[in-house]
Amino acid sequence: DVVSSDLSSGINAEYGEEVLHYKKPVTVEKTLSRLPIAQIVPLILTITEKLEAKPSRGAELTIWLRQLFITHRSYLLSSPDIATQLQPIYKLIDAQLVNYPKLVKLQGKLDLLLQEKRDDTSPVPLSDEAEEEEEEDEDESDEDDDVMSD
């Protein structure tokens, strides 16, 4: 499998970078199931570095991280110094969580502003009196049209 060999030959290589663009869960799962144990932590750290460097790739790279943790959880749980090795990803997650409440507040404010904007631009429902006046105006214009056509 070309994808697995690219990963095991070194994720920093050009092909290794291309591999991380694969998004199909089946492809990611099969690739990671063939990953040598010695490459698990280095791959986690490499993905973490890529996330730090370019957060916009988060959706793409978290597919890999999630599947990596699922596929190799027994190894990761049995490794005695895994907490120390994974400090960079802990820090990355903590940094993202610090910003989350601020983003939720901002989203709430934006939603409120958008709703007010929608309310301002939506037509105001006419009262019964206004509807009657409008109907009378239409009737008068119809009569005017009849008179003009004669």
Side-chain angles (χ1 to χ4, degrees):
D1 180 82
V2 174
V3 176
S4 296
S5 65
D6 288 345
L7 273 178
S8 60
S9 68
I11 196 66
N12 291 325
E14 182 179 332
Y15 291 116
E17 176 61 31
E18 283 183 29
V19 168
L20 292 176
H21 288 285
Y22 287 98
K23 297 177 188 173
K24 284 186 178 180
V26 174
T27 305
V28 174
E29 183 179 353
K30 286 181 180 179
T31 302
L32 292 174
S33 67
R34 297 182 188 135
L35 188 69
I37 289 178
Q39 291 290 324
I40 295 171
V41 173
L43 179 57
I44 292 171
L45 297 176
T46 300
I47 292 173
T48 302
E49 288 171 9
K50 292 183 182 303
L51 281 169
E52 288 173 334
K54 198 168 183 184
S56 61
R57 288 188 65 196
E60 182 180 298
L61 294 173
T62 53
I63 294 168
W64 283 88
L65 273 178
R66 182 179 183 277
Q67 191 58 51
L68 190 56
F69 287 129
I70 290 169
T71 303
H72 296 288
R73 68 182 166 268
S74 58
Y75 167 74
L76 293 168
L77 290 171
S78 65
S79 182
D81 61 340
I82 197 67
T84 306
Q85 291 177 334
L86 296 182
Q87 278 302 313
I89 197 163
Y90 288 137
K91 288 178 183 176
L92 177 66
I93 292 169
D94 286 342
Q96 296 296 318
L97 289 175
V98 166
N99 293 325
Y100 183 73
K102 295 174 189 172
L103 290 173
V104 170
K105 251 186 203 178
L106 179 61
Q107 182 180 8
K109 289 177 182 179
L110 288 173
D111 288 344
L112 185 62
L113 286 171
L114 289 173
Q115 184 60 42
E116 286 177 8
K117 177 75 173 160
R118 277 185 238 130
D119 291 346
D120 289 345
T121 59
S122 64
V124 178
L126 298 173
S127 65
D128 290 337
E129 291 177 16
E131 285 179 17
E132 289 173 10
E133 288 177 20
E134 191 174 286
E135 287 175 6
E136 288 175 11
D137 290 342
E138 287 177 10
D139 290 341
E140 288 176 12
S141 69
D142 289 342
E143 289 174 7
D144 292 341
D145 290 341
D146 290 340
V147 171
M148 290 182 167
S149 63
D150 289 337

